Amino acid sequence: MEIYEKTSPSATTTNPNSHSPAHDASEAGHPLTAKPWMYRSRRIGPIYIPAYASPPFQLGLVAIVCFLCPGMFNALAGLGGGGQFDATTANNANVALYSTFSVVGFFAGTFANRMGIKLTLSLGGIGYFIYIASFLSYNRNQNGGFPIFAGALLGVCAGLLWCAQGAIMMSYPPEASKGRYISWFWMIFNLGAVLGSLIPLGQNIHSDAGGVNDGTYIGFMVLTFLGAAMAWLLVDARAVQRADGSHVVLMKHPTWQSELLGLVETLKTDSWVVLLFPMFLASNWFYTYQFNVVNLARFNVRTRALNGVLYWLSQIIGAYLFGYALDISRVRRSTRAKAVWAVLFIITMAIWGGGYAWQRQYTRAETSAEGYVKMDWTGRGYVGPMFLYMFYGFYDAAWQTCVYWFMGALTNNGRKLANFAGFYKGIQSAGAAIIFRIDALKAPFMNEFASCWGLLAGSLLVALPLIMLKVQDTVPLEDDIKFSDETMEEVMPTVAREDEETKLH
């Protein structure tokens, strides 16, 4: 897998009279906040290292931050119940988390555009550290108030982190590479969950208990704090330069007023995006069912940890396959959009149809009964649900990759995409808060399953008109700069800018 773009001639030349990327950026009117060395790529033997301020390198840093912060959160959540024997405390914490996340997330584009990427991501990372610390505390003193407070705080922080991440992932790459960039991020991010799941697996491999030990939480805390600190290694979005010399379309002088008004303007100018809102709502809805109803309810702690490893590994496979398929250059982008919609609908019916057959085998009353023995990986009948859980992970990556790609296909404007990402995470989190509350109220397992399957299929049907009519083969630069205070000359590719100057002379 190659996680870099081809280096432009201006990026590699050693001719002192030629234009370096740093020189091109300053000529274009972009004040550089990075040093010139950050615009030079390197090769160490057979290993190619893209320039520090290039989109692939910056995306890699963001992926590592998410690897260490949300990745560890996902590993813990994948155990079901936050690693506890009973899911009640984790459900209450998650209701608080996703309630604040849904509000802050919806407006997070304003904060990300105004505060900048580094501060937004770092604040987000700290929230994950405090959230995991609250479960370490609960493991010792059973104080359920701390996890609920930490969940509400994490909702604020995660809204900021995921908005910044989404804006970077969708606006930094060139149009032809958006699917690959999304897949690269999703694979690195979920590798964090894979490695994170190995921690409780190693800690509890000889245990058949229901909850994890203190060492699991401490390990997660160390990693999340490291992730929050690494956010400060990013460069400012204005300093990022693509291989062709182009820049991310942003606001040069954002204010709180301009970004709040920009949020409203996004909904006015791109009102079709509301057809994706049901897909946003569905995108985290099924986590509660998969983690609590499937994994927690049926399996002991070491088997849940193994299931988590396989679930997140399957996400890596799903992201790779869908991300690269979405960038097949010999097929028009509008055609790819229609084809991937059809594939999503087919696998929704197939995978969740298999899930229906599994869910018919047990109820909440049965698994909650005193003396109920949870399944171990050594027991008979484990292979079938193991593969089902892996397909659930594959499906999640496919869904998330496609939703991000659909949004990225509507515009290349970084400011607008930050708002799109905020809408996505806000609505996604509202759905998660609702379903976590439903699970906390002990709804029948089959009802939770039906809500997942129905919402996924229904949201695809609602999104179909947008995919059929609004996804273009390319978005003209003239359309992208309408939503910013930048000019064509400031953001256009270097080659295109030189061609324009040649025509003028």
Side-chain angles (χ1 to χ4, degrees):
M1 179 179 66
E2 298 178 333
I3 307 183
Y4 58 84
E5 298 171 289
K6 292 182 178 178
T7 307
S8 65
S10 63
T12 57
T13 182
T14 57
N15 185 344
N17 297 320
S18 64
H19 293 292
S20 69
H23 181 63
D24 290 333
S26 59
E27 280 190 343
H30 283 259
L32 292 178
T33 58
K35 302 296 183 181
W37 64 264
M38 295 183 179
Y39 295 89
R40 290 193 290 268
S41 59
R42 290 167 176 77
R43 186 175 293 277
I44 303 175
I47 302 174
Y48 175 85
I49 303 175
Y52 191 83
S54 67
F57 198 99
Q58 292 296 299
L59 180 76
L61 281 177
V62 173
I64 292 172
V65 171
C66 292
F67 170 107
L68 293 169
C69 293
M72 298 305 109
F73 172 86
N74 281 350
L76 187 63
L79 292 171
Q84 298 295 311
F85 183 81
D86 181 74
T88 302
T89 300
N91 278 342
N92 291 333
N94 281 319
V95 170
L97 189 166
Y98 288 110
S99 295
T100 54
F101 196 164
S102 64
V103 177
V104 174
F106 195 86
F107 297 97
T110 297
F111 293 94
N113 287 333
R114 181 64 183 86
M115 296 191 306
I117 296 300
K118 288 189 285 189
L119 178 59
T120 305
L121 279 170
S122 184
L123 288 175
I126 290 295
Y128 288 93
F129 171 81
I130 295 173
Y131 179 83
I132 293 173
S134 74
F135 278 92
L136 174 62
S137 172
Y138 182 81
N139 231 25
R140 292 175 168 270
N141 56 36
Q142 302 297 300
N143 177 12
F146 189 14
I148 293 173
F149 165 78
L153 177 64
L154 177 56
V156 175
C157 295
L160 298 176
L161 181 143
W162 280 107
C163 176
Q165 173 274 333
I168 290 171
M169 188 173 66
M170 292 185 288
S171 66
Y172 281 20
E175 279 190 327
S177 303
K178 289 193 177 186
R180 291 194 294 277
Y181 272 64
I182 294 168
S183 71
W184 298 337
F185 168 82
W186 212 253
M187 286 187 285
I188 297 171
F189 161 55
N190 281 307
L191 184 60
V194 171
L195 298 180
S197 296
L198 289 173
I199 294 174
L201 179 60
Q203 293 274 358
N204 302 280
I205 194 166
H206 299 299
S207 170
D208 58 1
V212 301
N213 57 34
D214 288 354
T216 300
Y217 293 116
I218 293 171
F220 285 157
M221 287 170 61
V222 171
L223 294 172
T224 51
F225 185 81
L226 179 61
M230 286 193 65
W232 290 97
L233 297 176
L234 293 164
V235 301
D236 186 82
R238 193 166 308 284
V240 173
Q241 185 166 344
R242 302 187 184 99
D244 62 1
S246 62
H247 294 267
V248 182
V249 180
L250 301 163
M251 283 288 282
K252 288 186 291 187
H253 307 292
T255 64
W256 288 111
Q257 181 181 9
S258 71
E259 297 318 300
L260 283 170
L261 292 175
L263 188 74
V264 177
E265 188 180 348
T266 298
L267 287 172
K268 287 182 178 179
T269 59
D270 293 77
S271 55
W272 280 75
V273 76
V274 300
L275 295 180
L276 290 177
F277 283 7
M279 289 189 75
F280 298 173
L281 186 72
S283 60
N284 268 16
W285 187 280
F286 48 76
Y287 279 172
T288 303
Y289 171 77
Q290 291 171 355
F291 297 159
N292 288 356
V293 177
V294 178
N295 207 22
L296 176 62
R298 288 301 305 269
F299 303 101
N300 62 25
V301 67
R302 69 173 189 170
T303 308
R304 278 152 45 197
L306 175 62
N307 289 345
V309 172
L310 298 174
Y311 183 91
W312 302 115
L313 276 173
S314 300
Q315 292 240 7
I316 294 173
I317 298 170
Y320 177 82
L321 292 177
F322 273 78
Y324 275 74
L326 286 167
D327 280 348
I328 296 175
S329 58
R330 61 180 177 272
V331 180
R332 295 171 55 185
R333 185 166 71 174
S334 56
T335 303
R336 278 177 268 148
K338 299 177 182 69
V340 79
W341 180 93
V343 172
L344 275 181
F345 194 83
I346 291 169
I347 65 174
T348 297
M349 295 297 107
I351 293 174
W352 287 87
Y356 174 70
W358 162 256
Q359 188 52 63
R360 291 178 61 188
Q361 299 177 18
Y362 64 99
T363 65
R364 184 182 290 274
E366 178 185 345
T367 58
S368 302
E370 186 176 350
Y372 177 76
V373 178
K374 296 190 176 185
M375 185 181 293
D376 186 77
W377 68 50
T378 60
R380 293 183 59 186
Y382 171 68
V383 174
M386 178 195 74
F387 277 106
L388 173 64
Y389 207 64
M390 291 174 66
F391 279 120
Y392 278 150
F394 177 91
Y395 180 86
D396 178 33
W399 188 273
Q400 307 281 356
T401 299
C402 291
V403 171
Y404 274 118
W405 187 82
F406 290 148
M407 289 188 287
L410 299 177
T411 181
N412 301 305
N413 184 292
R415 183 181 177 220
K416 186 176 291 186
L417 285 168
N419 287 328
F420 281 3
F423 298 156
Y424 180 38
K425 303 308 292 189
I427 295 169
Q428 178 188 76
S429 301
I434 294 168
I435 190 62
F436 268 116
R437 183 57 181 163
I438 291 172
D439 189 58
L441 293 173
K442 312 297 184 184
F445 286 166
M446 184 58 79
N447 290 9
E448 292 189 31
F449 170 84
S451 70
C452 296
W453 195 5
L455 183 57
L456 289 165
S459 65
L460 281 170
L461 295 176
V462 173
L464 185 57
L466 177 142
I467 292 164
M468 296 291 291
L469 302 174
K470 301 302 292 184
V471 175
Q472 307 173 51
D473 292 328
T474 186
V475 178
L477 184 57
E478 293 85 347
D479 291 346
D480 284 329
I481 64 171
K482 289 178 182 177
F483 196 66
S484 75
D485 56 0
E486 295 188 304
T487 64
M488 292 275 289
E489 291 73 21
E490 290 173 322
V491 297
M492 68 194 306
T494 305
V495 174
R497 187 161 61 245
E498 292 173 350
D499 288 345
E500 287 292 324
E501 291 173 354
T502 301
K503 290 177 183 178
L504 291 174
H505 291 86

